[in-house]
Amino acid sequence: MSKTFCLARSADVLEGVPTKRWQRFMRGLLAEKIEWVLEADIKNFFGSLSHEWMLRFVEHRVGDQRLISLIRRWLKAGVLENGEIHPSEEGTPQGGSVSVLLSNVYLHYVLDLWFERVVKPRLRGEACMVRYIDDFVLCFQYRADALRAQEALAKRLRKFSLTLESTKTKLVEFGRYAHRHASKRGRKRPETIYFLGFTLYCTRNQKGNFRIGLLTEKSRLRRALTRLQDQMRQMRHLSLQEQVNHLNQMLRGHYAYYGIAGNLQALLRVHRAVERYWRKMLSSRSWDGAIRWEQFQRIKEQFPLLRPKLYLPYRELQAIAIL
């Protein structure tokens, strides 16, 4: 089945490897003459999927009627809320056991095949699509192609009970050619785009070559800090060893996802915020009312917090993110 989902660079939903996901995305923006990027957002995607179309897509590859019946019952199982069962006539429960897989199957037929076999042959320039479940961007060489594809995309999604979120869908001039044209349009640099929790921007390295930079999106950074603070409040009654184990587990997951070259400062910001708030939580349970930094440093030496680590370092990113 993995071969089926290789179109439009959507295979990483099955692999679940952030670095491979970004490698494909960077090659899509750099290897091709991309100048315009369409950021598309599907409104209430998981809650709008058509059960009829979903079953038709699955039946296209699966002939076992027992499995089809199981999927049908799972889709219509409903949601238990406040002791009441609410029937489900459309959509899949976000966070459900097989929602991600079924959603990827749905968009494979709705978007991936359509873009590769219908849209691209009708375009004047080069184009590509990068998708991870319901998050996707369409990249084009010419603005006229992007506008035509945007109009066709809205019609295509409506056919399958989906709609674009107008406030989050926009066409952005982006790429090495956009970087050259930015000054002519009265801007110091091209606009930024947001994808999978990152802010992507155009910049240059020390040699003057074009490079795509990545930073943690501000809203995602605030969300991560809030989640870490909530966790520390809940576990401040635990032993120091248990606390540091929980914190390191959360930090490890954060570094593994956002640990991309150029994003080290955002990782350090999270690390410093965790240190400050952990000291505050330890002080709140101290008889003295506060733990001095000297005492806290000794605690950190005995129970160290994970330091930021780049899982996609410069030497690997340089090969795919510089032209």
Side-chain angles (χ1 to χ4, degrees):
M1 287 294 289
S2 60
K3 295 181 180 179
T4 303
F5 296 102
C6 287
L7 289 177
R9 302 178 174 90
S10 64
D12 290 321
V13 68
L14 301 178
E15 298 172 9
V17 183
T19 53
K20 291 185 178 181
R21 188 186 317 160
W22 283 110
Q23 287 172 357
R24 284 196 173 95
F25 185 40
M26 291 297 188
R27 291 191 181 103
L29 285 176
L30 294 171
E32 298 154 8
K33 300 176 181 179
I34 298 303
E35 189 172 352
W36 296 90
V37 175
L38 177 62
E39 290 185 71
D41 184 82
I42 301 177
K43 186 176 181 179
N44 189 25
F45 170 68
F46 285 94
S48 303
L49 300 185
S50 167
H51 291 179
E52 180 184 356
W53 279 111
M54 174 67 77
L55 293 171
R56 290 176 63 178
F57 293 150
V58 174
E59 288 173 346
H60 182 69
R61 292 295 301 270
V62 178
D64 190 341
Q65 290 302 314
R66 293 171 298 178
L67 182 57
I68 300 297
S69 177
L70 181 63
I71 294 175
R72 181 183 292 107
R73 283 184 290 167
W74 183 86
L75 289 173
K76 298 185 179 297
V79 178
L80 181 63
E81 187 175 1
N82 297 327
E84 296 183 2
I85 298 179
H86 300 272
S88 176
E89 299 298 331
E90 62 180 8
T92 62
Q94 189 167 1
S97 56
V98 294
S99 289
V100 172
L101 179 59
L102 291 180
S103 300
N104 193 50
V105 171
Y106 197 88
L107 286 183
H108 171 73
Y109 289 99
V110 173
L111 281 180
D112 299 351
L113 291 177
W114 171 75
F115 188 79
E116 290 291 327
R117 300 179 182 180
V118 178
V119 176
K120 289 180 71 173
R122 290 171 170 78
L123 299 179
R124 190 164 62 93
E126 296 184 18
C128 68
M129 180 173 74
V130 184
R131 179 175 69 81
Y132 183 76
I133 312 178
D134 62 323
D135 293 325
F136 66 97
V137 293
L138 306 178
C139 308
F140 302 92
Q141 183 178 358
Y142 299 115
R143 185 173 184 270
D145 286 343
L147 292 174
R148 288 176 56 204
Q150 183 176 1
E151 182 179 354
L153 175 64
K155 295 179 181 178
R156 175 71 175 179
L157 292 178
R158 280 197 297 269
K159 178 180 178 181
F160 297 95
S161 305
L162 301 174
T163 56
L164 287 174
E165 179 61 70
S166 57
T167 59
K168 298 181 180 180
T169 300
K170 63 177 181 178
L171 184 61
V172 177
E173 189 175 14
F174 190 89
R176 50 181 172 147
Y177 297 103
H179 194 274
R180 297 173 187 174
H181 299 160
S183 58
K184 299 179 182 178
R185 305 183 188 279
R187 296 192 299 265
K188 293 183 179 180
R189 59 179 65 88
E191 298 178 76
T192 57
I193 61 177
Y194 305 95
F195 189 56
L196 296 179
F198 284 88
T199 299
L200 283 78
Y201 62 95
C202 299
T203 184
R204 294 190 180 278
N205 63 0
Q206 295 179 348
K207 296 181 179 180
N209 297 323
F210 169 71
R211 182 174 68 87
I212 296 176
L214 297 97
L215 295 174
T216 305
E217 191 180 341
K218 291 181 179 179
S219 62
R220 296 295 184 92
L221 184 59
R222 288 193 298 267
R223 191 186 309 174
L225 293 176
T226 301
R227 187 173 64 252
L228 284 163
Q229 289 175 1
D230 291 341
Q231 178 67 23
M232 281 184 275
R233 281 194 294 268
Q234 295 173 13
M235 68 181 188
R236 58 183 171 182
H237 63 282
L238 300 178
S239 66
L240 289 177
Q241 185 62 62
E242 289 177 308
Q243 289 187 39
V244 79
N245 288 343
H246 283 296
L247 288 175
N248 283 339
Q249 185 178 14
M250 297 185 71
L251 288 174
R252 187 179 295 108
H254 185 84
Y255 298 157
Y257 187 87
Y258 291 102
I260 294 181
N263 197 37
L264 183 60
Q265 289 302 316
L267 301 184
L268 288 171
R269 181 179 173 184
V270 170
H271 185 270
R272 289 193 293 266
V274 169
E275 283 188 334
R276 290 194 301 269
Y277 204 78
W278 190 30
R279 174 179 170 268
K280 181 179 178 180
M281 288 298 98
L282 293 178
S283 298
S284 68
R285 72 177 199 174
S286 171
W287 287 103
D288 297 332
I291 293 180
R292 297 179 180 275
W293 278 104
E294 294 81 5
Q295 296 174 278
F296 185 63
Q297 292 298 332
R298 290 195 294 271
I299 292 175
K300 287 199 304 177
E301 290 176 2
Q302 187 175 358
F303 305 99
L305 291 172
L306 280 180
R307 297 289 301 175
K309 176 184 177 181
L310 297 180
Y311 283 77
L312 187 61
Y314 279 101
R315 63 179 179 273
E316 297 181 16
L317 187 63
Q318 186 177 17
I320 59 175
I322 296 177
L323 281 181

